[in-house]
Amino acid sequence: EEMRLISLSLAWVAGIYIGSLVSLSLYAFLSAFILSLIVALLWHKRPAFLWGGLCLIVLFSGIGCYQWRLSEPTLQSFNDQGVVAIRGEVDRDPEFEGTTSRLRLSAQEIKIDSRWEKVSGKVLIYTTVFPSYGQGDLLQVTGELHSLSQIEDGAYLTKQGFSSTMSYPQIEFVQRGWLFNLRNRLADSLDSALPEPQSSLAQALLLGIRSHIPDSLRDDFRCSGTTHLIAISGLNVAILAGIVLSSTAWFFGRQRPTYILIAFGIIWVYALLTGMQPPVIRAAMMFSLFLAALWLGRPRSALPSLVLAAAIMVGISPLVLWDVSFQLSFVAVAGLILLFPAFQRWGRKAMAGEKGALTSVANPIIDSFAVTLAATIATLPLLAYYFGYLSLVALPATFFALLALPGAIILALLIALLGLFAPALSSVIGWVDWLFLSYIIKVVEGF
């Protein structure tokens, strides 16, 4: 049953992908669909023909879904057509480069002949640093949409789901996102209790705000292969979730489901604090399915559930299939499901002859390293393909940095919350978190 679910889900995803390559007429689509249905019905007593026919039906349904969803109005059709007005939501915190700010806007409506009509697509906006806008803000922008073929990294932006760019448009603020105010106040708390660059690192780890990290430190993270620690992505969430799960299982024991509930709660609180960014939500959903499988005592069913969740996400938004963060989230969680048990077993076997006290201390460390190794190895091919480089010290650097990561994030959370009503106590805890954050910085700089 599990393999059948995986087969149907993969057939759906394959259909979405094929739909992006070919364009079937309605007649050809219906003919292929009906032929697949006939195969499934006539030979339904033969499992191979029945499931082969069902997979073909799902495959052609995926092709139809892609072509139907992309028949909706998109920003791309308005590229290089003069000045347009768009309303949309900022889906990620801005990135700053000198005096320029880059905003990612998910379009919702476009003004055509004095009427607002629904539209889809993401536009990358180049604008000034001030005034500053944050994730969740609803904006109306007026300017000229340009196609991605006109810029150097257009192919990369296309893979990220963008369809257009807009340079220095007129921007009108419509509505402030509630998350922006909350995260700004939490960021101010961290600023008050921590010096730089520890403060900016804490904001990146806890809130997903990376724009304040010094360029030199950002380069150190990149060269040491540890960028995923500050780039709130599927890989980051999977590693953090795995470490939280291992730590809570060690602290509370595996006899009760308490450790699963705590891990579930921490991951979704973390997703909220990072601004409920789509990559984090997808990774949290996928990891939640893994936790559900553990709760039911069927960890082997986690992989079919993960594949089914990915198929549903692709069905809702076909372009997410080409989203790097979606691919990293899926592969990282799949790595936890497939590779983590083997790495954990090897580590436990190596400690089998040691005394009880030493084993109890070593087990959570072994589990954390197994989580890191599983997620990192699974995602290495994607990281090398998309980012064009592979750090030879990524694994040891990540492991040593991860020893302090949970403590750094938990203390940063306490500092951010206490800073809202008890700044003095927040500053005291800040000294402790400074040690964790400084250790991470030194590890990254050293490697």
Side-chain angles (χ1 to χ4, degrees), residues 166-293:
M166 187 179 281
S167 297
Y168 297 94
Q170 176 187 344
I171 301 178
E172 297 179 39
F173 177 78
V174 179
Q175 183 178 338
R176 174 70 74 194
W178 66 274
L179 273 175
F180 180 83
N181 291 326
L182 172 63
R183 295 172 71 217
N184 258 9
R185 294 182 64 190
L186 295 176
D188 289 341
S189 297
L190 292 170
D191 260 337
S192 299
L194 291 165
E196 288 293 349
Q198 287 79 8
S199 174
S200 58
L201 177 58
Q203 291 178 43
L205 294 175
L206 180 67
L207 305 174
I209 300 174
R210 294 183 295 160
S211 55
H212 301 155
I213 295 180
D215 291 339
S216 58
L217 182 57
R218 194 191 306 269
D219 287 340
D220 289 336
F221 272 98
R222 182 184 62 82
C223 294
S224 62
T226 53
T227 303
H228 55 272
L229 297 180
I230 57 172
I232 310 299
S233 65
L235 174 59
N236 186 352
V237 174
I239 290 176
L240 180 64
I243 291 176
V244 168
L245 183 64
S246 300
S247 302
T248 52
W250 170 74
F251 188 80
F252 293 98
R254 297 180 183 271
Q255 287 73 29
R256 296 176 296 170
T258 308
Y259 77 102
I260 296 178
L261 292 174
I262 292 176
F264 177 85
I266 289 175
I267 289 305
W268 281 103
V269 168
Y270 182 66
L272 175 65
L273 291 176
T274 55
M276 296 298 281
Q277 298 177 16
V280 180
I281 295 175
R282 288 192 290 264
M285 288 175 62
M286 291 178 182
F287 191 79
S288 297
L289 290 172
F290 176 57
L291 292 178

Side-chain angles (χ1 to χ4, degrees), residues 33 35-37 39-40 47-59:
F33 188 89
L35 181 61
S36 303
L37 184 60
V39 170
F49 283 95
L50 172 62
W51 286 99
L54 290 176
C55 285
L56 285 175
I57 291 172
V58 173
L59 177 78

Side-chain angles (χ1 to χ4, degrees), residues 139-162:
L139 306 177
Q140 178 175 320
V141 297
T142 305
E144 185 173 353
L145 292 171
H146 300 287
S147 61
L148 298 177
S149 60
Q150 300 179 11
I151 58 177
E152 184 178 350
D153 54 350
Y156 175 76
L157 291 174
T158 301
K159 290 178 181 177
Q160 296 291 308
F162 289 99

Side-chain angles (χ1 to χ4, degrees), residues 67-88:
Q67 297 186 355
W68 169 68
R69 291 299 300 271
L70 265 67
S71 65
E72 299 175 351
T74 62
L75 285 182
Q76 193 169 2
S77 58
F78 297 95
N79 285 347
D80 307 313
Q81 300 294 318
V83 177
V84 295
I86 301 169
R87 285 177 184 163

Side-chain angles (χ1 to χ4, degrees), residues 96-144:
F96 301 107
E97 190 171 328
T99 58
T100 302
S101 172
R102 298 198 303 176
L103 291 175
R104 299 164 178 251
L105 191 76
S106 289
Q108 298 174 349
E109 295 179 303
I110 189 167
K111 196 171 187 179
I112 302 176
D113 297 331
S114 302
R115 298 194 319 273
W116 288 99
E117 298 185 7
K118 288 187 177 180
V119 73
S120 62
K122 288 204 301 184
V123 55
L124 183 63
I125 299 175
Y126 297 90
T127 184
T128 55
V129 173
F130 297 105
S132 179
Y133 303 101
Q135 182 183 357
D137 288 351
L138 191 64
L139 306 177
Q140 178 175 320
V141 297
T142 305
E144 185 173 353

Side-chain angles (χ1 to χ4, degrees), residues 309-321:
I312 293 172
M313 292 177 190
V314 171
I316 294 173
S317 178
L319 288 178
V320 79
L321 183 59

